[in-house]
Amino acid sequence: MTRQTAKELTLQVLIGLSPVALGVWLAGNLQANLAARGLTSGYDFLLDPAGFAITEGPLPYQTGDSYLMAFLAGAANTLTVSIPAIALTTLFGALLGIAAISRNPLLAGVVRLYVDAARNVPLLVHVLLWYVLLLTILPDATKPFVLGPLFLSKAGLALPHPLTGEWPRLGYFGLRGGLQVSPEFTAIVMALATYSAAYCAEIVRAGLQSVPRGQWEAAHALILTRWQAIRMIVAPQALRVILPPYISLALNTIKNSSLGVAIGYPEIVSIGTTSMNQSGRAIECISIIALLYLILNIATSFTLAIVNRRVQIRER
Amino acid sequence: MTETAPILQMQGIHKWFGTFQALDDCSLEVRPGERIVVCGPSGSGKSTLIRCVNQIETVDAGTIRFDGQLLDDSPRSRPIRKAIGMVFQQFNLFPHLSVLDNLTLAPMRVGGLSRAEALTLAHAQLSRVRIAEQAGKFPGQLSGGQQQRVAIARALCMQPRLMLFDEPTSALDPEMVNEVLDVMVDLAQGGMTMIVVTHEMGFARKVADRVVFMEGGRIVEVESPEDFFDRPRSPRAKAFLGKILSH
C-alpha cells in the first residue's frame, strides 16, 4: 500500500464513521434529556385509549379506541382524500393539458392563465380559500344548492351513495342518507385537485408536445381529425413521457393532503399532532407519521410503476 | 383542344413564414395521370408547395382546386383531401402501431371500412410495395427503405387519386434509394397522378411528364424532362443542374 492510498483510506473511514458518531451522540443526548425531565419513551402508548374523537372517516373508530386505531383511522382518511384528489387531478389535468395545445388562442390563453395562477399560489392558500368559500357562499343545510345528483350546503356535499344507490333526502335538520362528506373533506379534495391539476396540465402538455410534428402531419394527411390524432396517435406516444412525472405528482398529492390539518380534517398529521400533545411522545408520533406516509407512497409508487410498465408501448 | 380537365389547379399561391416568403405567386395545373417532378435548390419552396396541396400548410393568398372543388383547411375539405395521399421524407410511420395497424387505421376510422375489408386492402398494398412479409412487425424493426415503402402503402390504402411525395428518398441510405424509387416507378406506370419533390434526377428523366424548377419561392421553369435537362432555358436552372450533375 502506498502512502497515498493509505491516506485516502483513512480519510474515507473517518468520513464514514462521522455520521455514525453523530447518531450515537444524538441518541445519548435524547436519552439524557428525557431522563432529566422524567419522560418515558417507547411505543407502548399505542395500545392506550386515545380518548379523542375523529369526526369522520371510513374506519369505525370510537373515542375509547387505542392510539394505534386512531393512527390507522388517520391513514385511512389520508387515502380517502388522496384517491378522489388524484382522480380529479388526472381528469382536470388531462383536459387542461389538451386544451393548452389547442389552436384556439383564447382557450390556450385561459389555460395558461389558470396554470400560472394555480401554481403560483401556495397550496395552503388553496385549502383555506376553498374552505372559506364553501362555508360562506353555500346555503344552509336546510336549503341545499342542488346540482343534478349533488347537494351542496354549508354542511358539506351530499350525493347518491355509490354502493347502495340511496339518494340524500331533505329532512328537518338538513340532508339525510346518501353519501355525505364534510366541507373539510370537500375543501381539501378540491384544493388538491385544482392545485395539482395545474402541474398535471403542464406534464400532459409537455408530453403531447414531445411527440414529433411529423406524427401530427401524417395523421392530418390520413384525414384523421385533430381529436382522433390526439387519441390514437399522439397520446399513446406521449404517455411514455407523461407517466414518470405523473407518478411523482400523485405521490406529492398524497403528501400534500397533510395540509388538511389546517382546516381540521382528521388525516395522518392531524391525528399525529393530537396524539403527540396527549401522550407527550413527540419523536414516536413523528416517526409514525413518517412511516405511514412512507408505506402509503411506496404502495402507490409500486402500483403506478406496474401501470407504467403496462403502457410502455412496444416498438420492436 | 380536347385535353381532360385538370385534377389539380394551384393559382397565385403565396405563403409567408413570418417575414420569409416561402411561395411567391406559384401557379401549377396537373392533369389526371400526369407525373410532375419538382426540383430546385434547398429552401426554394418545393416542399412548401406540395404541403399546401393537402393543407398541412395553409396558403396566405391564392386558390387550390382539386377536381374543380376549392380546398382549404376547413372540415368541408376533408372528403376532398381523402383523394390526396402524402409520403414524407421522414416516413412518419406511427411507431406504436404495427405495420398492419399503420395501414388499417385511417381506412377504418376515416374511410368507414370494416376490419376485414381494411386488412384485405392493407395486404394488397403491402404486396404492391413488395413488403408483404413484414406485416406484423413494428416500424422500428424495419430498415429505412422498408419503412418508406410501408409509408407509401399506408397512403395507397386511402385509395388516393393524387400522390404527393416530399423528398421520399432523402433520408435513406444510398443502397435503399432504389427499392423505394422502383415502387414509385411501378406506381407511375400504373397511371397514378403524382407530384414528386426529389433530387433524384434519374427518376425525373425516366418518369416525369414535366419538371417544375423552383427557386426563391417562385416557379421558374416548367419543361419536359428532355428540354429541362438537355436545354435548360433559365441561367438559374443551368446553374442548379451544373451543381447537382457535376459528379
Side-chain angles (χ1 to χ4, degrees), chain B residues 201 238-247:
Chain B
M201 292 303 134
K238 274 179 203 155
F240 173 73
L241 286 172
K243 273 181 202 151
I244 62 166
L245 298 177
S246 62
H247 296 291

PDB file of all heavy atoms in Angstrom, chain B residues 201 238-247:
ATOM      1  N   MET B 201     -32.499  12.873 -60.107  1.00  0.00           N
ATOM      2  CA  MET B 201     -32.690  13.339 -61.468  1.00  0.00           C
ATOM      3  C   MET B 201     -32.881  12.183 -62.453  1.00  0.00           C
ATOM      4  O   MET B 201     -33.546  12.322 -63.471  1.00  0.00           O
ATOM      5  CB  MET B 201     -31.502  14.218 -61.895  1.00  0.00           C
ATOM      6  CG  MET B 201     -31.468  15.529 -61.129  1.00  0.00           C
ATOM      7  SD  MET B 201     -33.023  16.451 -61.332  1.00  0.00           S
ATOM      8  CE  MET B 201     -33.390  16.940 -59.674  1.00  0.00           C
ATOM      9  N   LYS B 238     -29.742  26.292 -65.220  1.00  0.00           N
ATOM     10  CA  LYS B 238     -28.431  25.818 -65.706  1.00  0.00           C
ATOM     11  C   LYS B 238     -27.458  25.685 -64.541  1.00  0.00           C
ATOM     12  O   LYS B 238     -26.745  24.678 -64.419  1.00  0.00           O
ATOM     13  CB  LYS B 238     -27.853  26.813 -66.734  1.00  0.00           C
ATOM     14  CG  LYS B 238     -28.329  26.553 -68.139  1.00  0.00           C
ATOM     15  CD  LYS B 238     -27.733  27.581 -69.102  1.00  0.00           C
ATOM     16  CE  LYS B 238     -28.615  27.680 -70.341  1.00  0.00           C
ATOM     17  NZ  LYS B 238     -28.501  28.954 -71.030  1.00  0.00           N
ATOM     18  N   ALA B 239     -27.430  26.705 -63.687  1.00  0.00           N
ATOM     19  CA  ALA B 239     -26.508  26.687 -62.550  1.00  0.00           C
ATOM     20  C   ALA B 239     -26.845  25.532 -61.611  1.00  0.00           C
ATOM     21  O   ALA B 239     -25.965  24.812 -61.137  1.00  0.00           O
ATOM     22  CB  ALA B 239     -26.588  28.018 -61.796  1.00  0.00           C
ATOM     23  N   PHE B 240     -28.162  25.319 -61.364  1.00  0.00           N
ATOM     24  CA  PHE B 240     -28.600  24.253 -60.470  1.00  0.00           C
ATOM     25  C   PHE B 240     -28.200  22.888 -61.030  1.00  0.00           C
ATOM     26  O   PHE B 240     -27.600  22.063 -60.333  1.00  0.00           O
ATOM     27  CB  PHE B 240     -30.123  24.335 -60.295  1.00  0.00           C
ATOM     28  CG  PHE B 240     -30.711  23.190 -59.523  1.00  0.00           C
ATOM     29  CD1 PHE B 240     -30.521  23.093 -58.156  1.00  0.00           C
ATOM     30  CD2 PHE B 240     -31.462  22.202 -60.163  1.00  0.00           C
ATOM     31  CE1 PHE B 240     -31.065  22.041 -57.430  1.00  0.00           C
ATOM     32  CE2 PHE B 240     -32.007  21.150 -59.446  1.00  0.00           C
ATOM     33  CZ  PHE B 240     -31.805  21.068 -58.080  1.00  0.00           C
ATOM     34  N   LEU B 241     -28.487  22.682 -62.314  1.00  0.00           N
ATOM     35  CA  LEU B 241     -28.152  21.393 -62.934  1.00  0.00           C
ATOM     36  C   LEU B 241     -26.643  21.195 -62.944  1.00  0.00           C
ATOM     37  O   LEU B 241     -26.150  20.079 -62.731  1.00  0.00           O
ATOM     38  CB  LEU B 241     -28.703  21.325 -64.357  1.00  0.00           C
ATOM     39  CG  LEU B 241     -30.226  21.138 -64.418  1.00  0.00           C
ATOM     40  CD1 LEU B 241     -30.726  21.285 -65.848  1.00  0.00           C
ATOM     41  CD2 LEU B 241     -30.615  19.777 -63.864  1.00  0.00           C
ATOM     42  N   GLY B 242     -25.912  22.274 -63.176  1.00  0.00           N
ATOM     43  CA  GLY B 242     -24.450  22.198 -63.160  1.00  0.00           C
ATOM     44  C   GLY B 242     -23.955  21.688 -61.821  1.00  0.00           C
ATOM     45  O   GLY B 242     -23.026  20.869 -61.763  1.00  0.00           O
ATOM     46  N   LYS B 243     -24.590  22.143 -60.761  1.00  0.00           N
ATOM     47  CA  LYS B 243     -24.143  21.738 -59.417  1.00  0.00           C
ATOM     48  C   LYS B 243     -24.477  20.285 -59.129  1.00  0.00           C
ATOM     49  O   LYS B 243     -23.660  19.542 -58.593  1.00  0.00           O
ATOM     50  CB  LYS B 243     -24.806  22.620 -58.352  1.00  0.00           C
ATOM     51  CG  LYS B 243     -24.029  23.887 -58.082  1.00  0.00           C
ATOM     52  CD  LYS B 243     -24.713  24.695 -57.008  1.00  0.00           C
ATOM     53  CE  LYS B 243     -24.287  26.148 -57.116  1.00  0.00           C
ATOM     54  NZ  LYS B 243     -25.328  27.039 -56.639  1.00  0.00           N
ATOM     55  N   ILE B 244     -25.724  19.861 -59.444  1.00  0.00           N
ATOM     56  CA  ILE B 244     -26.109  18.520 -59.000  1.00  0.00           C
ATOM     57  C   ILE B 244     -25.668  17.434 -59.975  1.00  0.00           C
ATOM     58  O   ILE B 244     -25.597  16.280 -59.595  1.00  0.00           O
ATOM     59  CB  ILE B 244     -27.627  18.391 -58.734  1.00  0.00           C
ATOM     60  CG1 ILE B 244     -28.422  18.637 -60.001  1.00  0.00           C
ATOM     61  CG2 ILE B 244     -28.079  19.318 -57.622  1.00  0.00           C
ATOM     62  CD1 ILE B 244     -29.847  18.189 -59.861  1.00  0.00           C
ATOM     63  N   LEU B 245     -25.364  17.805 -61.205  1.00  0.00           N
ATOM     64  CA  LEU B 245     -24.995  16.756 -62.173  1.00  0.00           C
ATOM     65  C   LEU B 245     -23.487  16.703 -62.396  1.00  0.00           C
ATOM     66  O   LEU B 245     -23.003  15.978 -63.256  1.00  0.00           O
ATOM     67  CB  LEU B 245     -25.712  16.976 -63.512  1.00  0.00           C
ATOM     68  CG  LEU B 245     -27.242  16.916 -63.442  1.00  0.00           C
ATOM     69  CD1 LEU B 245     -27.862  17.206 -64.792  1.00  0.00           C
ATOM     70  CD2 LEU B 245     -27.720  15.557 -62.923  1.00  0.00           C
ATOM     71  N   SER B 246     -22.714  17.472 -61.615  1.00  0.00           N
ATOM     72  CA  SER B 246     -21.282  17.559 -61.898  1.00  0.00           C
ATOM     73  C   SER B 246     -20.515  16.319 -61.467  1.00  0.00           C
ATOM     74  O   SER B 246     -19.376  16.137 -61.865  1.00  0.00           O
ATOM     75  CB  SER B 246     -20.697  18.803 -61.223  1.00  0.00           C
ATOM     76  OG  SER B 246     -20.867  18.682 -59.834  1.00  0.00           O
ATOM     77  N   HIS B 247     -21.131  15.442 -60.640  1.00  0.00           N
ATOM     78  CA  HIS B 247     -20.379  14.267 -60.205  1.00  0.00           C
ATOM     79  C   HIS B 247     -20.714  13.053 -61.026  1.00  0.00           C
ATOM     80  O   HIS B 247     -21.867  12.807 -61.290  1.00  0.00           O
ATOM     81  CB  HIS B 247     -20.662  13.973 -58.725  1.00  0.00           C
ATOM     82  CG  HIS B 247     -20.175  15.070 -57.844  1.00  0.00           C
ATOM     83  ND1 HIS B 247     -18.847  15.340 -57.654  1.00  0.00           N
ATOM     84  CD2 HIS B 247     -20.846  16.007 -57.151  1.00  0.00           C
ATOM     85  CE1 HIS B 247     -18.732  16.377 -56.851  1.00  0.00           C
ATOM     86  NE2 HIS B 247     -19.928  16.806 -56.549  1.00  0.00           N
TER      87      HIS B 247
END
